[in-house]
Amino acid sequence: MGNSALKAHLETAQKTGVFQLTGKGLTEFPEDLQKLTSNLRTIDLSNNKIELLPPLIGKFSFLKSLVLNNNKLTALPEELCKLKKLETLLLNGNHLRQLPAAFGQLLALKTLSLSGNQLRTVPTQLCGLRHLDVVDLSKNQIQNVPDTVGELQAIELNLNQNQISQISVQISHCPRLKVLRLEENCLELGMLPQSILSDSQISLLAVEGNLFEIKKLRELEGYDKYMERFTATKKKFA
């Protein structure tokens, strides 16, 4: 892409606070964006070939939304965690194996999407994020859901299409969790904590495509309590 085209994009971004450059074959984060660290609220560089996010990302102190779906990122810099106003982070379809250690400092984060990466566990860093609403970890390589998940503040957790065969009973203690998606994993019925049904806030449990028949779920103790929550929620949104 020519310099003049980039310049035009930068000029627009300066006025709107939005820099969007998708599907242009970019191999690196445009350094020229540094000129707009105090202007930008949204950066969208989806569908490119970016392998590295430079440390300068930490300078965009007013950034609310960062979208880098379908790039070639293998890691994220610690500097990303300085973005105190970041509310939306979309990183679907990259090659991420883990999150930076300081990820829990992204205190404004509401929506986190990491579908189609190479995560092997639910990152413990997510548990300190008090405003997190939606977490999408579908299509990764997660095999178990650890005890720390009980501190997760999310309202919706999507773990579809992983390799999960074990789930900590602590998931029932998530204070705000209403929607739990576990479709197409490797769960035996006996590995699904019954407290999810009998003693949690979860009002939508999606478990199709595991190693048991859905009708067997209905025979479990606590299923009627789950159905009460399910029905009450449905009425609320009807």
Side-chain angles (χ1 to χ4, degrees), residues 194 197-199 202 217-232:
Q194 290 200 11
L197 298 173
S198 61
D199 191 25
I202 294 164
L217 184 70
R218 298 181 193 131
E219 295 163 14
L220 289 184
E221 203 177 323
Y223 187 77
D224 50 343
K225 280 190 177 175
Y226 161 70
M227 279 315 290
E228 279 172 26
R229 294 192 305 272
F230 177 80
T231 311

Side-chain angles (χ1 to χ4, degrees), residues 1-15 18-19 21 36:
M1 192 183 65
N3 276 346
S4 56
L6 181 59
K7 201 175 169 194
H9 275 280
L10 288 169
E11 280 171 13
T12 307
Q14 193 162 4
K15 293 178 192 133
V18 177
F19 184 84
L21 203 55
L36 300 177

Side-chain angles (χ1 to χ4, degrees), residues 35-48:
K35 299 167 189 166
L36 300 177
T37 47
S38 58
N39 297 70
L40 291 183
R41 304 291 184 272
T42 299
I43 295 176
D44 183 354
L45 295 166
S46 297
N47 303 317
N48 282 295

Side-chain angles (χ1 to χ4, degrees), residues 194-210:
Q194 290 200 11
S195 54
I196 289 178
L197 298 173
S198 61
D199 191 25
S200 79
Q201 302 287 321
I202 294 164
S203 56
L204 178 63
L205 176 66
V207 287
E208 284 79 6
N210 279 282

